[in-house]
Amino acid sequence: MKKPLSTISTASLWLLCTVTGAAHAETLRIASEGAYPPFNYVDSTNTLHGFDIDIANALCERMKVTCTFVTQDWEGMIPALLAKKYDAIVASMNVTEERKKKISFTNRYYRTPLSVAVANDSGIRDAQTDFKGLTVGAQSYSTQAIYAEERYGAAGATVKLYPSQDEAASNLAAGRLDGVIADKYPLLAWVESAGKDCCKILGDIDGTNTDAAIAVRQEDVALRERLNRALDEIVADGTYKKIASRYFAFDIY
């Protein structure tokens, strides 16, 4: 026989709500691209790895929640976040004023300038002025693409955009591009992995240092604050430095 609702104690109702709320809060759904080594990439089982993923796991551990990860094409990252397919993006997303009109960002978890890679035998010497009449590649829907179109395209270069940074880099290696513009650290990692006979970095582009941060929905203020507290903690106690040292021999914070 069912008991009337009035016979259930206030304490029992509170406990039920608390348990239900805690269960809901224990999982944080995180998206990453899986095509941006060494920050995020997938193995043969489609499992995500990389600096972004290690940072996300450290934050979840500090927040005492369980991370679940999904891969998402770069173009659909922000729309899927807004559609609540996941709770946060940890994918080396640069903070821009245009993106802040739609989503919110945590404090940075690293900072990077833009750089350009060219073939070893290229006559290009200046990343900012020498691309007139040549072809530059970049990843679509990225800050690099915006820079390439506004700077190189306006100066007479042809700009080709690709779904992923890997595709742009592969086209440079195949000789179909004269240069690729990207954030410095993934571009540096790619040049090193491509072999000594392939390509070289021209250098940082002045004035392009940008923060990379975790993206959340604008209304998720509490989540953003929790992530910021966790970021502060892992930086303060050395966890961040330990993770970064697995991937970089220099400071990226």
Side-chain angles (χ1 to χ4, degrees):
M1 181 176 178
K2 294 182 179 179
K3 292 184 178 180
L5 183 60
S6 59
T7 65
I8 301 176
S9 70
T10 302
S12 297
L13 282 173
W14 177 86
L15 180 60
L16 177 62
C17 292
T18 301
V19 170
T20 302
H24 178 72
E26 284 179 354
T27 299
L28 184 64
R29 301 168 300 165
I30 295 175
S32 201
E33 184 186 14
Y36 204 63
F39 290 91
N40 57 79
Y41 57 93
V42 295
D43 62 17
S44 58
T45 66
N46 207 39
T47 301
L48 280 161
H49 299 278
F51 177 75
D52 289 339
I53 311 308
D54 289 355
I55 290 293
N57 277 318
L59 295 177
C60 286
E61 182 178 351
R62 196 56 54 95
M63 294 163 61
K64 302 188 186 307
V65 299
T66 299
C67 284
T68 61
F69 293 95
V70 297
T71 55
Q72 169 69 55
D73 290 342
W74 185 255
E75 180 180 348
M77 277 281 179
I78 292 176
L81 174 67
L82 297 177
K84 299 187 176 181
K85 293 185 178 179
Y86 35 77
D87 306 303
I89 298 170
V90 187
S92 292
M93 183 171 284
N94 290 337
V95 179
T96 68
E97 292 304 313
E98 188 63 27
R99 287 172 179 159
K100 285 164 67 176
K101 294 175 183 177
K102 298 179 180 179
I103 58 177
S104 291
F105 288 97
T106 64
N107 299 335
R108 80 175 192 271
Y109 63 97
Y110 74 92
R111 180 172 288 159
T112 179
L114 295 178
S115 293
V116 173
V118 297
N120 278 340
D121 59 0
S122 174
I124 300 170
R125 296 290 180 266
D126 189 333
Q128 301 189 72
T129 63
D130 283 355
F131 280 96
K132 184 177 180 179
L134 301 179
T135 303
V136 182
Q139 183 176 16
S140 300
Y141 299 94
S142 67
T143 52
Q144 305 94 292
I146 294 169
Y147 185 94
E149 290 176 326
E150 292 181 350
R151 184 64 180 259
Y152 301 139
T158 298
V159 177
K160 290 189 175 181
L161 303 180
Y162 297 86
S164 72
Q165 179 60 38
D166 276 350
E167 290 181 59
S170 295
N171 275 269
L172 174 63
R176 291 187 285 270
L177 294 172
D178 297 297
V180 165
I181 181 170
D183 287 344
K184 176 181 180 177
Y185 304 129
L187 194 60
L188 180 61
W190 176 79
V191 166
E192 292 175 349
S193 68
K196 62 181 181 180
D197 296 328
C198 176
C199 306
K200 61 186 178 182
I201 299 284
L202 288 183
D204 299 351
I205 298 176
D206 294 340
T208 62
N209 248 353
T210 306
D211 291 345
I214 298 168
V216 299
R217 290 180 290 274
Q218 290 180 341
E219 63 267 27
D220 290 342
V221 177
L223 174 59
R224 186 180 74 245
E225 291 177 349
R226 289 179 69 198
L227 287 164
N228 278 335
R229 286 195 296 271
L231 277 168
D232 289 345
E233 289 174 7
I234 68 169
V235 170
D237 71 6
T239 300
Y240 178 95
K241 185 176 182 179
K242 182 178 179 180
I243 293 171
S245 67
R246 300 172 192 162
Y247 301 93
F248 311 105
F250 42 84
D251 182 18
I252 69 169
Y253 186 72

